Amino acid sequence: MADDRTSLTGFLQYQRETLAWKCAGLSAEQLRERAVPPSALSLLGLVRHMAEVERSWFRMVVNGEETRAHWPRRTSDHFAEFDVDSADPEEAFRIWEEECARSRATVDAAESLDVTVQWRDEVFSLRYVITHMIEEYSRHNGHADLLRECIDGTTGE
């Protein structure tokens, strides 16, 4: 039986690997495709979004770093990472993988999952952040599953 850290980080890594698997073997055009109208989601947009989510939760919230978005917003209600018409998949995957590696290093360096941080007016434990990330990936992997099935018929976990 695994301890909490091993279980939670294992589930998070599985979700990361699932997103990578959903994108594997596709062309740049397929990765950019908004395959489930009227949604503007694409697999590449999801990868870029998860890079930003990794950056914001682990670097900004947990580590207290001042970091800039990889794909800055133009308006407060617009996520620029979803604008993928001219996006470079290699760049997106490299940034996402780098952010995932930084996140893993942050978790590995923490003495406990019960370590807390204050960000803005809230207090978060590392356990909460990891659990939230599992939820975030799980939700978006459901989107990725539908997108991939519409692109080329591939289904499955």
Side-chain angles (χ1 to χ4, degrees):
M1 180 195 291
D3 64 10
D4 279 355
R5 183 187 293 251
T6 303
S7 294
L8 290 173
T9 57
F11 279 116
L12 178 53
Q13 186 58 33
Y14 175 78
Q15 293 300 323
R16 290 171 176 142
E17 291 168 4
T18 298
L19 180 57
W21 178 72
K22 290 295 174 185
C23 297
L26 296 177
S27 68
E29 293 76 25
Q30 289 172 311
L31 289 168
R32 290 185 197 109
E33 186 176 342
R34 292 169 174 92
V36 185
S39 172
L41 289 178
S42 67
L43 289 168
L44 188 55
L46 291 175
V47 169
R48 287 166 43 125
H49 178 64
M50 292 313 300
E52 293 291 10
V53 172
E54 294 269 359
R55 178 192 62 80
S56 63
W57 277 100
F58 287 103
R59 291 174 72 190
M60 293 177 66
V61 175
V62 175
N63 287 343
E65 295 177 33
E66 295 284 332
T67 65
R68 297 182 121 170
H70 296 286
W71 302 280
R73 296 178 183 207
R74 284 178 267 183
T75 64
S76 63
D77 64 342
H78 179 77
F79 290 93
E81 62 262 31
F82 291 114
D83 295 336
V84 297
D85 291 339
S86 61
D88 178 0
E90 288 181 20
E91 173 196 51
F93 280 92
R94 177 185 52 77
I95 289 170
W96 176 57
E97 289 164 2
E98 289 171 357
E99 291 297 347
C100 290
R102 283 187 191 105
S103 299
R104 283 189 295 273
T106 294
V107 173
D108 290 347
E111 75 180 52
S112 165
L113 296 182
D114 297 320
V115 169
T116 59
V117 294
Q118 182 166 346
W119 192 71
R120 297 186 177 162
D121 294 331
E122 296 188 62
V123 175
F124 298 101
S125 70
L126 183 56
R127 180 186 314 279
Y128 172 87
V129 172
I130 295 169
T131 303
H132 173 72
M133 291 298 295
I134 294 167
E135 179 274 329
E136 182 90 13
Y137 270 101
S138 297
R139 181 167 23 95
H140 290 311
N141 281 338
H143 299 140
D145 196 40
L146 291 172
L147 289 161
R148 182 66 190 249
E149 184 175 6
C150 288
I151 291 168
D152 71 355
T154 299
T155 60
E157 285 189 59

